[in-house]
Amino acid sequence: MPLPRVVVLGGGMAGLTTAWELSSGDWRERLDSICVYQRGWRLGGKGASSRGPHGRIEEHGLHVLLGYYDATFRLLREVYGELDRDRTDPGCPVRTWQQAVTPTGDVGLADRDGDSWTSFVTRFSGNDAVPGEPGAEDRTLTPVDVATRGLGLLADFLRSAALPRERGRIFLSTSPVPGPGRSELAPLLRGASLAALAALLEGLERTSRLAAGGLREIPLAQSLAAALRTSRDDVRAALTADPALRRTWQLVDLVVSCLQGMAADGLLAGNGYDRIDHLDFREWLAGHGAAAETLDSPVVRGMYDLTFAYVGGDRARPRFAAGLGLSLAGRMLFDFKGSLFWRMQAGMGEIVFAPLYQALVRRGVEFRFFRRLDRLRLGPARSVASIELTRQSDLAPGRSRYDPLIRVGGLPCWPDRPLVDQLAEDPGDRLESHPGPMEGAGTETLRAGEDFDVAVLAVSVGMVPHVAAELVAADPAWQTMVDRVATVGTRSAQLWLDASERELGWHGPPGVTLSGFGDTFDTWASMSHLLPREEWPSPGAPRSIAYLCGALPDGDTETGDETVRTTLTQFLDGEVAALWPGFRWELLWDAAGRAGPERLHAQYVRANVDPSDRYVQSLPGSGRHRLAPGRTGFVNLAVAGDWTACGLDAGCIEAAARSGVLAARAVLSGAVGRPASRGTAA
């Protein structure tokens, strides 16, 4: 019997992870071929990056890895291990996964101070765990785990509340070795209320196994609720007496509200997070006693900002599923390995996607670049009969394949345009846009049973209505998924500056990612560590790099970049002074020497509004409408992407990686094509 031929439609993280899992081990004993089809000249999807003038890194937006991204880290560890660059490419400056990503524990948040903003930084202590250990991605963090570890964070945070503070900024540390403390906090850490809470939480795991009807139905729940209320009241009385400790009270209130909510809603009795996913996270917190100041606190606002959780990009309409919010907070704070955040030491394109491409090619996976997916055609018996593609460009005579990578400082990278010397003609711009140039060098049709046996649709959910309209029309589950799993545009900017962060007026630690700031570009990341990876003239090179991003309200996609540039001008003229009081327009690096806002033309600004670039949201009640990778309802089709039901219903690289793993498992097990299933990872 012939072995299956698999085509992967899309070269983002989900598609490439699928190809990686399919090609592991002696894969030719299971499959005949694996081929990835990709529009344009580079891989990565929303995570793609390339090199522009002076070898500068140009990203779709801000990307960091969190310490609980076990599927992503496992993949990186395997890829760098197989490449073995120490032996095969000793001149490459990034040879191991430990050189590719490094830990960072500084997290910044911003808070309103009257009509202006203040900022503070929390330093989260690391641990000795290593992300990406085999099997780690399949282990769950239960609500009981979150509850039992919440008290540890609370005590750690309280110990840090009185570290030396500068005027206008508070620097907090969650190090297990506390700094000098305020005497009035000591009774809180030794007090009977927190001690009682600790004892109760230690018994929750046993209680959850015994309380089949829910924790609230047994006497212990009353004691737990009383201890939580007492603890919250005691801490509030002590902390709100000192305005400088108000943020500590907000964290205490947030943690206690979450614990009370988990107890009251039965999450500690074995029920999953989806029990409360129909509610907005803020609404759920308020229903369990969270103060109004907590609901608008930097921590809560930062969660919404980092997940672009605004309907249609409208900041007046924040919405984020409560169960997912609780789960993500638990994973981020209590399940990280090594560090809360890990920063990439070059662009995402060369840290993740270039080595992944190289390793897949070594394994024998084929790639077809310049193939735009136009549509899937249905056949009999609920199957995909054919796949229609536009060939955007042909190879130059004598070439058998396109070699997409260049070297910048010895590092394999993606260029910012196709390498036209390898092509029969210059295909022009907008190859990665929908619809982009309609004409191409020709068309291709892949036919089931002739060119493929199983297809994996690994495009962004925003592209599904455009390329899979027949499937959407044929299956109500697909239609509901398209209608209910929302996306949002994002704005991003990368600034190269002729001043250090200290000269700009930032007095916090270097390398900070700060969120919860402003109303347009609400997140700033210090990325100056990337300067040595770029190729600037010496002397005269920029001295710092800043990445900015935020949700973009729905509007005219044709003028998106200009809209972002206009908003950025207003941001730099006003709000940024709270972060960088020393900012002046002439500090933006510009070889052309332009004046004022015109210097933005030397920076990298983009509006991510294309259907394939929009961020996948997690609105209340939407999780149950996601399709599982192996349960599409079509016998020869799997799906992969951060929009699928993969056990992590969030728009991030980890969700894409987990989805790719599940899609590959479905293909290899022969489980593809089971009835479309909503909200079940399979």
Side-chain angles (χ1 to χ4, degrees), residues 70 133-141 331 335 337 658:
D70 285 302
E133 289 292 285
E137 66 209 66
D138 293 322
R139 292 194 290 270
T140 60
L141 188 75
R331 289 176 188 265
D335 198 32
K337 286 86 175 178
R658 292 182 182 222

Side-chain angles (χ1 to χ4, degrees), residues 5 8 13 28 30 49 55 66 103 154 162 178 189 241 264 277 295 310 323 326 329 360 419 464 471 526 549 568 643:
R5 293 156 292 186
V8 179
M13 188 64 180
R28 292 193 183 276
R30 305 182 300 272
S49 71
L66 273 69
L154 183 59
L189 299 177
D277 241 5
L295 301 178
Y310 302 97
L326 184 60
L360 284 169
L419 301 173
V464 170
L471 282 70
S526 163
C549 67
L568 181 59
W643 50 274

Side-chain angles (χ1 to χ4, degrees), residues 376-433:
L376 305 182
R377 294 291 192 188
L378 287 185
R382 296 186 64 83
S383 67
V384 175
S386 62
I387 300 167
E388 296 180 2
L389 305 147
T390 292
R391 197 170 63 253
Q392 296 172 305
S393 181
D394 285 330
L395 295 174
R399 294 197 67 91
S400 60
R401 71 181 184 92
Y402 181 73
D403 184 1
L405 301 177
I406 60 174
R407 294 266 177 167
V408 177
L411 186 63
C413 304
W414 305 89
D416 60 353
R417 290 199 79 250
L419 301 173
V420 296
D421 59 321
Q422 299 183 39
L423 303 175
E425 68 286 317
D426 187 340
D429 299 323
R430 298 192 65 193
L431 297 181
E432 297 176 328
S433 299

Side-chain angles (χ1 to χ4, degrees), residues 70-71 73-75 77-78 130-139 665:
D70 285 302
F73 276 100
R74 176 180 63 80
L75 183 70
R77 290 170 60 176
E78 291 174 357
V130 179
E133 289 292 285
E137 66 209 66
D138 293 322
R139 292 194 290 270
R665 289 176 182 174

Side-chain angles (χ1 to χ4, degrees), residues 42-94:
R42 60 179 179 167
L43 303 173
K46 293 189 286 290
S49 71
S50 56
R51 294 303 186 113
H54 303 292
R56 72 182 190 181
I57 297 166
E58 296 176 346
E59 302 266 11
H60 274 63
L62 170 63
H63 302 286
V64 295
L65 301 184
L66 273 69
Y68 72 86
Y69 284 5
D70 285 302
T72 304
F73 276 100
R74 176 180 63 80
L75 183 70
L76 288 178
R77 290 170 60 176
E78 291 174 357
V79 166
Y80 279 90
E82 284 196 21
L83 288 179
D84 191 15
R85 282 175 168 173
D86 280 330
R87 180 180 60 83
T88 63
D89 194 4
C92 179
V94 179

